[in-house]
Amino acid sequence: GRARLGSSEPQARHGRSEEEEEEEVEEEGGCYQLYPGHIPTSPLQKALLAAGSACMALYDPYRHDMVAVLGETTGCLALPNLRDKMKNHPEGYRILQERPRIRLSTLDMGRLRGLPDGTLGREYVRFLEDNKVSPDTRMPPKFVDDEELAYVIQRYREVHDLMHTLLGMPTNMLGEVVVKWFEAVQTGLPMCVLGAAFGPVRLSTRKLQVLATELVPWAIRSGRNASCILNIYYEQRWEQPVESLREEIGIFPPP
Amino acid sequence: AVAGLCPCRAVFARRGGALRALCGSLRGLAAGPETHFGFQTVTEEERREKIYQVFESVAKKYDVMNDSMTLGIHRVWKDILVHKMNPSPGTLLLDVAGGTGDIAFRFINYVRSARERQLQRKLRHHQNLSWQEISESYQEDKSKSLGDSQVVVCDINKEMLKVGKQKAQHLGYSEGLSWVLGNAEELPFDDDMFDVYTIAFGIRNVTRIDLALQEAYRVLKPGGRFLCLEFSHVNNPLLSRLYDLYSFQVIPVLGEVIAGDWKSYQYLVESIRRFPPQEELKAMIEDAGFFKVDYQNLNSGIVAIHSGFKL
């Protein structure tokens, strides 16, 4: 038997010909890139990655790449679920077909900045500038073994900043935890659930109190009430006022 | 032997259409002979560049990763290398691909304690001297705590050298230590300069091993010793399977979690499999002109120390 592995063969030893190597890879099956940046992994590797990234993310909350990896390796149930929700919704279906990306290169920042206050576009740009973040810092998926699901998780990551805007939450630890609670209810991604549960351990008691009494209940209620956030074609709604979009989705006004 | 011409097929690019096309055109323009980068086929120039990038990327986490991957055992391997070298005070060592300084620091510690023992022995012989004469002899010897031993750390990668220098400063190593940017295939040193040449976990990353061995021969003094510490071939079938499993399943994951870099550590485990086994490396060392070439397996061949002499 061979040692099973993710992306390449261990048995190609010391100058064996390329043909033999290729044959071995053929037999192994599923060991090739499905999309740029894809790293095929075995179930054992995914399990180790999930455990390792969870520990590392707790140990060093600034390792955003670890949070991303955790999401990818544990999302095998939630992601198909989300994809199906998108497929069954007209706007979501269009998003899956057209695959829009939210990136500085695709956004017309000048135009968005020029929109009236209170519109999604204007408030989104304000959020980016106030918190000094950029949509380009989102990690591309590596360990998702399905090209469409890779897009779904990518879309979820890129929409995250819009969630901050719609929920009115800043990018500090408290704000992130609140958004995680909302996303946990909305997407069911284990990474969101873990983040929501363990994120608060690093907060002060005062903040924890506010979190527990006001913010989290509101986030949960909104999450439950709202329709799937991935089913909104945000790029076509920059002119829509935030209030109106909130009502449409079903997000209650922030406390 | 290592850089043999292989049919042009990059394992990773087989399915990705665009990637395949790119590699195809790259190969078309390929200016040099073909060689391997892990399990991919690349030109020699591409390989040098990719390896440079790997070490540039891993430099800051190099030591942490070594400890994690080998559970600290790499320290024992390096200790064994320096003990085998058994340097006496006054030895001039060239540590090639010495990057973060592990061998150099061990060398300094070794000659320092050897020097202390030397001084203690000297002192015992001086017990008939007066107090004054004894304290005067202290002044002389103090300035030579290493007894004129020196180590030159040579590495091709600026980032690795940078990390090494910072480590030296942090740990308090300064005397008898020099850092030089250089290529193992073309060393910036004169002939017949060094007493010992070491290359620990570096020769695997050299593109033309034969050239590196020739250079090693050139810069060593007659009577000088060549020592190479490197991952090698495991004969024991059970251990080999466990080792493969660990290498391919665990190490890239460790790379991703600790260093945020899966690909570099995937390259690492592949490059180990691509490296010549013990006997083949021994033959290559003999080809470069070394005599009394021998090797010692550590941990059943996971690692081997090859030794040779320039006569």
Side-chain angles (χ1 to χ4, degrees):
Chain A
R2 304 206 165 96
R4 289 229 304 132
L5 41 70
S7 50
S8 11
E9 289 302 308
Q11 268 71 22
R13 291 193 201 288
H14 318 300
R16 212 186 263 186
S17 72
E18 299 291 280
E19 285 95 335
E20 267 181 84
E21 265 178 63
E22 256 208 290
E23 276 162 25
E24 287 171 12
V25 177
E26 295 275 17
E27 283 169 43
E28 202 64 41
C31 293
Y32 46 82
Q33 277 199 322
L34 295 168
Y35 49 87
H38 179 216
I39 298 176
T41 42
S42 67
L44 174 59
Q45 286 175 321
K46 286 203 180 62
L48 292 170
L49 271 174
S53 60
C55 294
M56 189 52 101
L58 270 178
Y59 173 74
D60 183 357
Y62 289 100
R63 287 290 301 272
H64 298 301
D65 61 327
M66 286 294 102
V67 177
V69 169
L70 182 61
E72 288 169 34
T73 50
T74 54
C76 41
L77 287 175
L79 283 176
N81 213 349
L82 279 172
R83 189 256 310 267
D84 292 342
K85 275 192 189 161
M86 288 176 80
K87 267 204 170 131
N88 295 330
H89 188 279
E91 218 172 327
Y93 187 80
R94 256 195 310 129
I95 296 173
L96 274 179
Q97 294 291 91
E98 293 170 27
R99 307 272 179 103
R101 298 290 304 272
I102 302 179
R103 261 190 293 216
L104 282 177
S105 51
T106 55
L107 297 175
D108 187 351
M109 299 297 280
R111 181 179 85 91
L112 295 179
R113 215 176 274 122
L115 289 172
D117 284 345
T119 51
L120 182 65
R122 182 72 193 91
E123 296 309 313
Y124 176 60
V125 172
R126 180 169 289 143
F127 166 80
L128 291 178
E129 288 171 351
D130 283 350
N131 292 275
K132 298 193 182 52
V133 292
S134 148
D136 290 358
T137 55
R138 300 294 148 202
M139 298 272 316
K142 288 190 282 214
F143 303 112
V144 181
D145 289 337
D146 177 305
E147 193 252 331
E148 196 172 33
L149 295 180
Y151 175 73
V152 172
I153 207 171
Q154 176 90 77
R155 181 75 181 161
Y156 152 74
R157 283 179 192 156
E158 291 179 353
V159 155
H160 177 78
D161 287 335
L162 283 157
M163 288 304 103
H164 273 279
T165 311
L166 286 174
L167 295 172
M169 289 289 129
T171 55
N172 55 24
M173 199 65 197
L174 185 65
E176 292 291 353
V177 170
V178 177
V179 178
K180 273 287 163 291
W181 274 95
F182 179 79
E183 286 175 344
V185 174
Q186 272 274 310
T187 63
L189 280 168
M191 177 264 284
C192 296
V193 176
L194 286 170
F198 287 97
V201 301
R202 290 182 181 260
L203 292 173
S204 65
T205 12
R206 189 175 50 89
K207 288 191 176 159
L208 273 174
Q209 229 187 350
V210 176
L211 192 69
T213 52
E214 291 179 32
L215 296 171
V216 166
W218 162 71
I220 297 179
R221 270 186 298 127
S222 291
R224 281 212 171 119
N225 189 52
S227 60
C228 181
I229 41 132
L230 288 182
N231 279 335
I232 312 288
Y233 208 135
Y234 298 98
E235 292 89 332
Q236 295 179 344
R237 290 161 176 269
W238 294 126
E239 287 89 359
Q240 188 174 359
V242 170
E243 307 265 317
S244 140
L245 189 57
R246 269 193 203 133
E247 247 190 78
E248 187 183 330
I249 301 177
I251 299 176
F252 299 120
Chain B
V2 172
L5 287 169
C6 307
C8 307
R9 256 175 292 182
V11 171
F12 283 112
R14 275 172 45 249
R15 300 300 169 111
L19 209 52
R20 203 194 311 170
L22 178 67
C23 286
S25 60
L26 268 180
R27 264 173 254 124
L29 299 167
E34 301 241 303
T35 178
H36 54 85
F37 176 74
F39 290 157
Q40 296 175 47
T41 302
V42 295
T43 65
E44 285 187 358
E45 253 327 291
E46 283 171 338
R47 186 189 140 101
R48 285 192 186 96
E49 209 184 289
K50 280 176 169 320
I51 290 177
Y52 192 92
Q53 286 165 357
V54 164
F55 283 92
E56 199 175 41
S57 158
V58 307
K60 294 203 176 80
K61 299 274 176 129
Y62 185 73
D63 292 328
V64 158
M65 280 300 300
N66 284 348
D67 276 333
S68 321
M69 290 190 290
T70 63
L71 304 171
I73 301 175
H74 74 106
R75 297 167 185 238
V76 176
W77 293 331
K78 287 166 183 164
D79 287 337
I80 294 176
L81 177 70
V82 176
H83 271 83
K84 192 179 173 91
M85 191 197 305
N86 192 18
S88 48
T91 302
L92 185 51
L93 167 68
L94 173 64
D95 182 30
V96 175
T100 56
D102 280 343
I103 302 297
F105 302 152
R106 281 171 171 78
F107 170 81
I108 291 176
N109 291 341
Y110 198 96
V111 295
R112 203 176 264 156
S113 38
R115 178 75 177 146
E116 272 167 22
R117 270 177 275 130
Q118 215 176 40
L119 292 176
Q120 270 187 324
R121 256 178 276 133
K122 227 170 96 183
L123 214 57
R124 253 181 265 129
H125 292 296
H126 285 170
Q127 274 167 340
N128 55 345
L129 292 178
S130 70
W131 291 121
Q132 230 176 350
E133 285 166 306
I134 294 178
S135 68
E136 269 165 25
S137 74
Y138 280 163
Q139 304 301 333
E140 276 174 34
D141 296 327
K142 229 350 165 273
S143 60
K144 294 195 280 172
S145 70
L146 292 182
D148 286 331
S149 318
Q150 272 201 67
V151 51
V152 177
V153 178
C154 180
D155 201 292
I156 199 174
N157 195 295
K158 287 197 199 95
E159 282 305 313
M160 293 291 281
L161 278 178
K162 203 162 110 186
V163 172
K165 281 192 220 173
Q166 283 169 351
K167 225 166 102 179
Q169 214 172 22
H170 182 70
L171 295 170
Y173 292 100
S174 54
E175 202 188 327
L177 182 59
S178 316
W179 305 85
V180 174
L181 190 69
N183 184 345
E185 295 172 10
E186 204 179 326
L187 291 170
F189 306 110
D190 218 346
D191 302 0
D192 306 327
M193 293 238 66
F194 298 96
D195 296 309
V196 185
Y197 172 113
T198 51
I199 183 163
F201 301 116
I203 203 164
R204 205 180 68 249
N205 300 303
V206 169
T207 301
R208 289 284 305 274
I209 298 182
D210 54 335
L211 292 181
L213 292 172
Q214 283 169 32
E215 280 293 271
Y217 190 85
R218 181 179 69 78
V219 301
L220 274 171
K221 289 184 197 158
R225 189 177 197 183
F226 168 87
L227 281 167
C228 166
L229 174 67
E230 191 51 84
F231 288 109
S232 201
H233 183 76
V234 175
N235 252 327
N236 178 325
L238 175 63
L239 184 64
S240 177
R241 282 182 56 186
L242 287 172
Y243 180 47
D244 281 348
L245 189 75
Y246 178 75
S247 293
F248 282 89
Q249 299 298 308
V250 178
I251 287 182
V253 173
L254 281 176
E256 180 70 24
V257 172
I258 297 177
D261 191 346
W262 176 286
K263 296 234 153 117
S264 292
Y265 289 89
Q266 180 76 42
Y267 159 72
L268 177 111
V269 298
E270 290 176 9
S271 70
I272 292 175
R273 298 298 173 300
R274 280 297 214 151
F275 188 69
Q278 287 86 330
E279 282 297 326
E280 208 179 307
L281 184 60
K282 176 172 170 209
M284 291 170 80
I285 298 172
E286 284 168 344
D287 283 345
F290 289 99
F291 285 95
K292 276 219 79 185
V293 180
D294 201 7
Y295 60 85
Q296 176 191 357
N297 275 339
L298 303 179
N299 291 119
S300 310
I302 293 181
V303 157
I305 298 179
H306 280 72
S307 163
F309 289 91
K310 172 174 178 174
L311 295 181

